Structure formats: C-alpha cells, structure tokens
Amino acid sequence: MNFSQSISYCFSNYANFNGRASRSECWWFFLFGIILQFVGTIWDSATGDTSGSGVMYWIAYAVIFIPSLAVGARRLHDVDKSGWWQLISLTVIGLIPLIFWMATEGTKKNNSHGKPIKLKNT
C-alpha cells in the first residue's frame, strides 16, 4: 500500500475499528498526520499565531484523530492485540511496546480479528 492508498483507505474507513491493517497502511497514515499537523502549524505561524498550536493545527488534529485511532486499533489487531492497548500511549513508557507492536509483522494466519492481510504488489 502506498501513501495515497493509505490515506484514501483510512478516510474511507474513518471509524472502522474492526479488522486488520498492514504496517504500510498504518505508518503511511501516521506520516500523513504528522505532515498535516506540521502544515497547520506553518499556516498558523504565517497568520501571526506564534504559539505553535493555533486554530489550523487543532483543525488538522481533529481531522485525523479518529482515523488514527481506528488504523492504530486495526494495526494492533493484525499482531493479535486488542485496540485498547493504544491507551498505554498515555504513559510515556507505554509508547515503547506500542511502537514495537505496530512495527512488528502481523500474524500470517487467521486470528480473532480476521483473516491475514494480502497486499497486492503495485
């Protein structure tokens, strides 16, 4: 899955917390979120807001918040973990296992969250 496919798929499954997501889908969408928030910060700075978290930054954050949670949950499902494990990101130390799980290859067999992901080579 490439960058544009990931963005399109994640927004078309805006609040779909079921199923599984590939590593590429997850990481490309997270990169998109970082870029979108960076552009919002630049836009705010260009309009005179130097606080670093102006209106456009928060609009960008609001646009990607639920899809990011959804793709994160689906990614954790791919490694046979519950999407609720995302809550450990509220602790700083909890980011370590969360990033590890999201970077790990998913299970190759059916798990409790569905069939394995088959990506087409493009």
Side-chain angles (χ1 to χ4, degrees):
M1 183 171 287
N2 64 33
F3 186 72
S4 60
Q5 289 172 330
S6 173
I7 295 166
S8 174
Y9 187 79
C10 287
F11 279 120
S12 67
N13 288 296
Y14 190 84
N16 179 11
F17 290 85
N18 298 318
R20 296 165 74 166
S22 67
R23 284 185 288 186
S24 59
E25 176 186 343
C26 177
W27 290 109
W28 280 126
F29 191 75
F30 287 162
L31 176 64
F32 170 72
I34 290 168
I35 291 169
L36 193 64
Q37 288 176 321
F38 179 73
V39 168
T41 301
I42 297 297
W43 187 319
D44 288 334
S45 296
T47 58
D49 185 358
T50 58
S51 67
S53 59
V55 173
M56 290 309 291
Y57 170 85
W58 287 107
I59 289 173
Y61 183 81
V63 165
I64 62 165
F65 181 70
I66 297 206
S68 293
L69 287 176
V71 75
R74 290 193 311 268
R75 178 70 206 125
L76 287 171
H77 290 169
D78 193 40
V79 293
D80 208 14
K81 303 270 185 235
S82 170
W84 288 103
W85 277 104
Q86 291 182 92
L87 291 174
I88 66 171
S89 67
L90 298 175
T91 67
V92 176
I93 197 74
L95 286 172
I96 296 168
L98 194 60
I99 290 170
F100 175 77
W101 291 330
M102 288 192 175
T104 303
E105 186 176 3
T107 57
K108 300 252 187 240
K109 297 181 180 181
N110 290 352
N111 65 22
S112 58
H113 303 287
K115 294 181 180 180
I117 298 167
K118 305 242 192 270
L119 293 177
K120 298 176 187 172
N121 293 333
T122 55

